[in-house]
């Protein structure tokens, strides 16, 4: 007799990019997946942790789709869990940090499906760390704010105006297209010397980094063709990175920075 399907969904944080930065619990959940639904920022190497026979389905943004991709993803979680059993919903970084993980769980739970969450290493701390930037450091930064550059209305979060008046380290996600607006916010408060770094595809082999101050960062980012996905780190801690220190000491230019290696 065929085993009865027990629908369940595990939301798993895949980490910031480097496939070795997933948690052991995340790998164990993948080992037991019947279906894996994964996003655009997921390294495909992680799919090897799932059984060969598991379905692996990409649910990142698709062009030309009329349906809201988020609604479609929510629906697929339910449909696949009911049909096949254990769905692992693999999401970049930590599922609850700007990942819409909570919305997915709310939707799935309406159907009486069991859910679990496996936290992930968020890019918000791991990407700065991967270029040597500590988000806090004694005597330099007592707190850090994680702010979105793109709120649900598409605008830069107003929280930046509050954060820039503090000594906090500011980590901005989804902000590369708003770089000029971000810089203007700091300039409006007379903070033109504030250190800022941008890391595109941190912890991966495609990583790109630029660093400078509010005065020169727009020109540097344009020259280096920095694009998404990227994290912007603002604050005195940026000067603390051994890799970026030279930028501020004006000994080397950023082209001479030692590159990050996954090996
Ligand atoms: N839940 C995720 C964040 C999802 S929002 C987490 O905890 O990390 C997606 C945004 O995260 C991207 O637009 C980018 O700003 C940032 N991001 C995620 N991975 C990144 C990486 N490897 N390098 C730089 N930025 C990254």
């Amino acid at each position: 007799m065929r085993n009865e399907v027990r629908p369940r969904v595990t939301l798993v944080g895949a980490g910031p990019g480097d496939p070795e930065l997933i948690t052991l619990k995340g790998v164990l959940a993948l080992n037991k997946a019947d279906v894996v639904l994964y996003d655009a920022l997921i390294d495909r190497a992680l799919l090897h942790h799932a059984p060969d026979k598991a379905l692996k389905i990409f649910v990142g943004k698709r062009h030309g789709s009329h349906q809201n991709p988020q609604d479609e993803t929510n629906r697929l979680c339910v449909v696949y869990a009911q049909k096949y059993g254990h769905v692992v919903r693999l999401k970049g970084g930590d599922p609850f940090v700007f990942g819409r993980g909570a919305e997915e769980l709310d939707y799935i739970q309406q159907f009486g499906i069991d859910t679990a969450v496996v936290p992930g290493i968020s890019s918000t701390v791991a990407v700065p760390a991967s270029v040597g930037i500590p988000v806090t450091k004694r005597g330099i930064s007592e707190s850090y704010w994680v702010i979105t550059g793109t709120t649900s209305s598409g605008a830069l979060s107003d929280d930046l105006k509050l954060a820039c008046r503090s000594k906090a380290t500011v980590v901005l996600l989804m902000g590369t297209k708003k770089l000029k607006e971000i810089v203007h916010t700091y300039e409006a408060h007379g903070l033109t010397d504030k250190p800022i770094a941008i890391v595109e595809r941190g912890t991966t082999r495609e990583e790109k980094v630029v660093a400078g101050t509010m005065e020169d960062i727009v020109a540097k980012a344009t020259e280096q063709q920095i694009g998404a996905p990227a994290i912007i780190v603002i604050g005195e801690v940026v000067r603390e990175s051994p890799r970026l220190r030279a930028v501020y000491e004006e000994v080397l230019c950023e082209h001479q920075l030692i590159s990050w290696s996954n090996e």
Side-chain angles (χ1 to χ4, degrees):
M1 215 177 80
R2 208 173 147 257
N3 282 345
E4 212 177 291
V5 167
R6 184 168 82 82
R8 61 188 177 112
V9 176
T10 310
L11 217 57
V12 173
D18 178 343
E20 292 183 8
L21 288 175
I22 190 172
T23 65
L24 179 56
K25 215 176 180 77
V27 171
L28 295 174
L30 279 168
N31 288 167
K32 295 209 167 97
D34 296 307
V35 182
V36 183
L37 300 180
Y38 62 97
D39 282 340
L41 294 180
I42 303 297
D43 190 310
R44 303 292 195 275
L46 289 172
L47 301 177
H48 297 310
H49 295 300
D52 286 346
K53 64 174 183 0
L55 294 175
K56 288 127 193 155
I57 297 158
F58 175 72
V59 289
K61 283 192 187 117
R62 282 151 294 194
H63 292 290
S65 163
H66 295 298
Q67 206 159 9
N68 174 344
Q70 187 63 47
D71 289 348
E72 176 66 358
T73 302
N74 293 349
R75 200 184 64 79
L76 289 178
C77 281
V78 170
V79 169
Y80 282 112
Q82 287 167 339
K83 190 160 181 200
Y84 298 104
H86 186 206
V87 171
V88 168
R89 174 71 181 103
L90 198 54
K91 299 177 74 70
D94 180 90
F96 283 173
V97 179
F98 296 124
R100 306 189 69 171
E103 288 170 53
E104 291 184 13
L105 284 189
D106 289 345
Y107 181 86
I108 296 159
Q109 285 162 355
Q110 289 175 52
F111 294 83
I113 294 172
D114 286 345
T115 57
V117 181
V118 178
I121 300 177
S122 179
S123 63
T124 56
V125 283
V127 168
S130 73
V131 295
I133 304 171
V135 287
T136 67
K137 189 168 180 184
R138 228 144 71 101
I140 293 169
S141 168
E142 295 167 359
S143 64
Y144 64 100
W145 290 46
V146 177
I147 305 177
T148 178
T150 312
T151 56
S152 49
S153 69
L156 175 64
S157 169
D158 266 346
D159 288 351
L160 186 66
K161 290 186 192 134
L162 289 174
C164 79
R165 284 156 53 194
S166 74
K167 281 188 281 179
T169 302
V170 170
V171 178
L172 274 148
L173 272 66
M174 300 173 275
T176 32
K177 286 205 179 121
K178 306 271 170 59
L179 185 59
K180 281 190 187 152
E181 217 181 309
I182 292 163
V183 166
H184 286 154
T185 305
Y186 279 80
E187 283 176 342
H189 289 84
L191 299 163
T192 49
D193 282 352
K194 197 69 139 177
I196 172 168
I198 311 176
V199 187
E200 179 187 332
R201 294 186 188 276
T203 80
T204 76
R205 285 168 204 279
E206 289 91 50
E207 178 217 70
K208 278 192 197 171
V209 191
V210 284
T213 63
M214 294 299 161
E215 273 171 326
D216 60 13
I217 197 68
V218 172
K220 285 180 171 176
T222 309
E223 192 195 314
Q224 300 283 317
Q225 300 184 324
I226 296 288
I231 275 189
I232 301 172
V233 192
I234 302 170
E236 293 305 319
V237 286
V238 175
R239 293 186 209 271
E240 298 301 307
S241 161
R243 231 180 113 185
L244 304 177
R245 198 170 289 149
V247 173
Y248 301 100
E249 287 167 356
E250 291 178 349
V251 176
L252 297 168
C253 65
E254 66 275 311
H255 301 294
Q256 290 163 288
L257 296 171
I258 306 148
S259 65
W260 159 262
S261 157
N262 277 337
E263 275 125 27

